[in-house]
Amino acid sequence: MLAVAAAAVLACNESDVKKYAISGTGLEDGAQVLLVDQITGEAIDTAVVANGAFAFKGTAPKDAYLNITSDASNWSFMLFNDGKPIKVNYADNTLKGSELNEKLADCDAKTDALMQEYNAFVSELMKLSEEEMDAKEKEYDAWIEKLRDCYLGVVEENKDNLIPVAFIRNVRSLAGPDKFNELLESDAPFAQHPYVLDLKRKIDESVARQKEAEEKKQAIIGQKFIDLEEPDTDGKMHKLSEYVGQGKWVLVDFWASWCGPCKAEMPNVVNAYKKYHKKGFEVVGLSFDREKEPWVEAIKEWEMPWIHLSDLKYWQTVASDVYNVNSIPDNLLIDPEGTVVARCLRGDALEAKLAEIFD
């Protein structure tokens, strides 16, 4: 990989390459330090701390977005290769260099401090009961808004330089794709940085893959169900056709004991079963578990009184391939004749559809 990186640098014009000279302190002798290209995620240089110090010297593309990281510290330093010497100190997580990189370090410290507060809040939130979590919903939303405003503020204040490059991924996560695309359509310097263009390409490809997967998932609607065979909790083999297409409405529910969202959704399925079972509604659970014990325990604990099948093959389960299941919870609602009429009915949507059918 280092040879490939070197070849890429040699192919650039001289004006496209800058020397870097980076020195650092604050780590114990023997610690390894890496200089990482943020586009490839690969190290373009390495150093080992000796006598309390380390150094990098070499060349990289002009304005390359780089990262100094070490296995001996949770902190990393972001920088742009503008040819100006860089000094970092892991003892107090400070960076000295060009005006641009010092400002980047200040922005990094500011956003990191806020993120640490948010993580502490979430850590405490996860200790609460479901009811207590619900009571904290507005507080959680306020935190997300605070983070969004912070990252957007960094971008808005630095539209005349490259600093937004380091925070644009967070902006997309917090402010959404529309704001992300709006910023990238501007003529600001950061919008045409190779890291940003590469990020945009990867996101577009991911969105396209997700769209294709969703289209495959939805293609089953209006079609006859596809039969499959899996064992029940006693190991006895059953075909889906034993329950589907036999004159009742059936919800084929894809779930797993390890799936948090499945656990949160299951009370809705249980309530629907209790309300409509006597009217001709059945549920068949197809689990994505890989171990029998937690699967059986979840069936009892979550009080799911319907037939359960699983080959215990995790994401390689036969149901995943047959029905293009790439996330759970998911489900299929199948009419008495065996035709799939809806998919991924959750919460109020499941209740509304069943009420439309039975009430």
Side-chain angles (χ1 to χ4, degrees):
M1 180 56 70
L2 290 177
V4 173
V9 169
L10 290 174
C12 298
N13 296 323
E14 185 175 353
S15 60
D16 295 329
V17 175
K18 286 283 187 181
K19 293 181 179 180
Y20 59 79
I22 302 169
S23 59
T25 56
L27 294 175
E28 293 185 0
D29 287 0
Q32 185 180 51
V33 189
L34 305 178
L35 183 62
V36 178
D37 184 318
Q38 291 288 72
I39 293 180
T40 65
E42 299 288 340
I44 64 171
D45 208 342
T46 62
V48 176
V49 179
N51 298 319
F54 66 90
F56 298 114
K57 284 188 178 181
T59 58
K62 179 179 179 296
D63 294 329
Y65 176 33
L66 307 175
N67 187 277
I68 304 170
T69 183
S70 173
D71 57 1
S73 175
N74 292 326
W75 188 261
S76 62
F77 296 92
M78 303 184 293
L79 62 103
F80 295 105
N81 185 38
D82 56 11
K84 303 293 177 62
I86 295 284
K87 291 183 178 181
V88 299
N89 187 343
Y90 271 99
D92 56 9
N93 298 334
T94 56
L95 178 149
K96 297 296 181 182
S98 65
E99 180 181 354
L100 175 67
N101 280 319
E102 288 188 5
K103 189 173 184 182
L104 173 60
D106 289 341
C107 291
D108 187 23
K110 173 185 174 182
T111 55
D112 181 75
L114 188 62
M115 186 62 76
Q116 291 299 325
E117 289 184 51
Y118 166 75
N119 289 337
F121 168 74
V122 172
S123 179
E124 291 301 314
L125 196 66
M126 297 306 294
K127 299 176 184 178
L128 303 178
S129 67
E130 188 173 342
E131 292 76 17
E132 290 172 325
M133 279 188 177
D134 290 342
K136 294 278 188 177
E137 184 176 356
K138 289 185 178 179
E139 191 174 349
Y140 177 82
D141 291 342
W143 261 110
I144 296 300
E145 185 175 353
K146 186 185 296 186
L147 286 170
R148 183 181 65 244
D149 290 347
C150 178
Y151 281 100
L152 276 175
V154 170
V155 173
E156 294 294 338
E157 293 166 10
N158 292 282
K159 283 188 173 181
D160 61 342
N161 60 56
L162 295 178
I163 286 176
V165 170
F167 303 97
I168 197 67
R169 184 188 292 272
N170 303 78
V171 167
R172 189 183 189 279
S173 299
L174 293 163
D178 290 343
K179 184 62 178 179
F180 174 79
N181 291 329
E182 175 191 322
L183 290 168
L184 264 57
E185 290 168 1
S186 70
D187 58 358
F190 73 86
Q192 295 302 312
H193 189 279
Y195 174 84
V196 175
L197 296 178
D198 183 67
L199 176 62
K200 178 70 161 57
R201 176 187 61 79
K202 290 175 180 176
I203 289 173
D204 288 345
E205 290 176 354
S206 176
V207 170
R209 287 194 299 269
Q210 291 174 7
K211 182 179 179 182
E212 182 181 2
E214 187 61 28
E215 288 174 349
K216 286 182 179 179
K217 289 172 65 173
Q218 296 300 323
I220 191 67
I221 297 177
Q223 305 297 316
K224 288 289 183 179
F225 80 97
I226 303 170
D227 207 4
L228 55 81
E229 189 175 28
E230 292 190 62
D232 63 17
T233 55
D234 294 322
K236 182 180 179 181
M237 298 301 293
H238 291 275
K239 289 186 176 181
L240 193 58
S241 54
E242 294 176 36
Y243 315 99
V244 177
Q246 300 298 320
K248 292 186 177 182
W249 285 87
V250 180
L251 186 77
V252 178
D253 191 42
F254 306 110
W255 70 289
S257 65
W258 47 261
C259 170
C262 297
K263 185 175 183 179
E265 176 63 23
M266 201 56 69
N268 296 319
V269 182
V270 171
N271 290 336
Y273 180 84
K274 290 179 179 179
K275 186 173 182 179
Y276 296 107
H277 178 59
K278 291 183 179 180
K279 295 183 179 182
F281 176 61
E282 290 287 353
V283 178
V284 177
L286 298 185
S287 169
F288 281 58
D289 273 276
R290 49 187 163 188
E291 296 178 5
K292 182 176 180 178
E293 186 176 349
W295 172 43
V296 174
E297 287 180 356
I299 293 171
K300 294 178 180 178
E301 180 184 344
W302 301 359
E303 299 180 349
M304 302 182 286
W306 48 79
I307 184 67
H308 290 276
L309 308 176
S310 180
D311 51 18
L312 299 176
K313 293 183 178 179
Y314 197 42
W315 287 107
Q316 283 69 50
T317 177
V318 63
S320 178
D321 288 335
V322 170
Y323 287 109
N324 292 297
V325 182
N326 52 22
S327 64
I328 52 177
D330 193 0
N331 57 48
L332 302 171
L333 182 62
I334 305 175
D335 72 12
E337 288 72 44
T339 299
V340 180
V341 299
R343 181 161 198 165
C344 205
L345 294 171
R346 298 173 62 179
D348 293 341
L350 175 61
E351 167 62 26
K353 187 64 178 179
L354 294 178
E356 175 187 320
I357 293 167
F358 292 106
D359 295 341

